[in-house]
Amino acid sequence: MPIPATTPTIRDQQPAPLPLPPQPVEWGHTHVTLTGSGGQGEEIPLTAFASREWPAVLIQAGATGLDMPPVELYADDSPNLDGSIYRGSRVAARQVMIPVYLHGVDRRSLRELKRRLIRAVNPKNGPCLIRITEGDAQTRTLTVFYKDGLQGDEGVDSAGFRWTRYGLQFTAYDPWWYGPDLQVAEWSFGGGKPFLTSGKGLFPLSLSQGVLSNSSVPIVNPGDVEAWPVWQLKGPVRGFQLTGPDGGSFGISAGATGTPDAVPAGRVLTIDTRPGVKSIRDDQGVNLWPRLDGSPALWPVPAGNSKASVNLAAGGPAASLRLTFRPRYESY
């Protein structure tokens, strides 16, 4: 027999209020631009007309490769066991395809559009920057190299006298998106400056004179994945040791009296931990990598909240330590 439906009630026998439907958030247009020559060339808008006369390069539906980058999995097989045993993974280079439509007011403007686009994406002039700005004014940037798609097709469905279509194919060897803001923290003897996120300090950091030894320095990485920091030490610094959340560390131990400081007074030592760079040089270009303590690990800053250990022996009140990194994101 059918089961009769009843209206939910509360103690006073009045019908329970219905839940309010979610209200959509007002959202502006998404803006996409393409800049060649390593970001130093002309910025070509892909989502807006250049002028009322219509010469424009417009992105079409069907772009691929803009969200999660590809992941390679590694596993071991055993002849005596079903399946495989997971060992690890890595993110591979990202392949991006952007279909574009070029429309000119005449044949000349179309040819000029094509030349501008070809010149911008030519990898001999450097990588391209794809910038996407969402309706909340948040911008993400992806560095890519042109791979294919601009050979041209004069078929009736692909080109005309004043228009043409291309499917631009790019490879992002660095598969992560980057935000425009840097995360910065600075410690100076006699006072400290806070970490900065979009111009707002998260917490104060103050140091005592002489020796800084703190095993729980908080670090905030708002990105989706780990970030590789750049450290700057301003002398005089006798020695230092920087230990990451995973236990990896690097530094130059303070020697006995009379031995040279790790960073002499008036000099600045830059420690760049980014992959493909990984250098330790002062402001005069001197390589200090041989002076590092044994088995150095230039560690990354994990996503989210973490804590690091900083041990710094300063030789005077002018000494300071600065940390800078750019957050990385999986998608725009």
Side-chain angles (χ1 to χ4, degrees):
M1 60 178 292
I3 300 175
T6 59
T7 302
T9 60
I10 53 179
R11 291 184 179 180
D12 59 0
Q13 301 302 312
Q14 295 296 322
L18 297 176
L20 295 175
Q23 298 299 315
V25 177
E26 292 294 334
W27 203 261
H29 294 290
T30 300
H31 297 278
V32 183
T33 65
L34 180 67
T35 307
S37 302
Q40 304 302 313
E42 176 189 6
E43 187 173 31
I44 301 176
L46 301 183
T47 53
F49 293 121
S51 66
R52 293 183 178 180
E53 287 73 24
W54 260 67
V57 182
L58 299 175
I59 189 171
Q60 300 288 282
T64 61
L66 297 176
D67 289 317
M68 180 68 181
V71 177
E72 295 179 351
L73 301 178
Y74 299 97
D76 291 339
D77 297 334
S78 173
N80 300 320
L81 297 175
D82 296 335
S84 302
I85 300 173
Y86 171 79
R87 292 303 183 191
S89 64
R90 65 178 291 271
V91 174
R94 182 194 295 263
Q95 305 298 323
V96 176
M97 194 283 289
I98 298 181
V100 294
Y101 175 83
L102 280 65
H103 194 110
V105 294
D106 49 30
R107 186 66 175 176
R108 172 185 289 182
S109 59
L110 173 63
R111 294 178 64 193
E112 291 176 351
L113 281 177
K114 290 197 291 185
R115 291 193 180 105
R116 286 169 51 198
L117 183 61
I118 292 172
R119 182 169 56 250
V121 303
N122 189 342
K124 290 185 177 295
N125 298 327
C128 300
L129 300 183
I130 299 175
R131 287 192 179 93
I132 299 181
T133 304
E134 281 285 5
D136 57 356
Q138 195 170 69
T139 299
R140 297 284 184 264
T141 302
L142 182 69
T143 302
V144 298
F145 287 85
Y146 168 78
K147 179 181 178 181
D148 201 355
L150 271 172
Q151 292 89 339
D153 183 352
E154 296 299 327
V156 293
D157 295 329
S158 300
F161 188 73
R162 293 182 297 179
W163 63 274
T164 188
R165 290 192 179 99
Y166 297 115
L168 304 180
Q169 299 179 38
F170 301 95
T171 297
Y173 295 104
D174 181 351
W176 305 111
W177 292 89
Y178 287 82
D181 298 325
L182 290 173
Q183 296 295 107
V184 181
E186 185 173 353
W187 300 267
S188 59
F189 284 80
K193 295 181 180 180
F195 265 89
L196 303 178
T197 304
S198 301
K200 298 181 180 179
L202 299 179
F203 46 83
L205 295 171
S206 59
L207 310 179
S208 59
Q209 301 245 358
V211 177
L212 165 64
S213 181
N214 193 331
S215 60
S216 58
V217 175
I219 301 178
V220 179
N221 177 5
D224 298 327
V225 295
E226 74 277 2
W228 296 91
V230 176
W231 300 86
Q232 286 186 320
L233 287 89
K234 182 179 180 181
V237 175
R238 295 193 297 269
F240 65 93
Q241 191 76 22
L242 306 176
T243 304
D246 61 354
S249 66
F250 62 90
I252 299 176
S253 299
T257 303
T259 58
D261 290 341
V263 187
R267 303 280 283 276
V268 178
L269 178 65
T270 300
I271 304 167
D272 195 333
T273 69
R274 292 175 298 172
V277 181
K278 298 234 183 260
S279 63
I280 302 179
R281 297 182 181 274
D282 66 12
D283 52 340
Q284 296 183 354
V286 178
N287 180 19
L288 271 72
W289 192 285
R291 290 196 58 187
L292 285 177
D293 297 338
S295 302
L298 305 186
W299 45 271
V301 176
N305 299 332
S306 60
K307 292 184 178 180
S309 175
V310 176
N311 291 277
L312 188 70
S320 66
L321 174 65
R322 180 183 177 90
L323 166 65
T324 304
F325 65 86
R326 191 178 295 277
R328 308 192 296 178
Y329 301 89
E330 295 168 333
S331 177
Y332 67 90

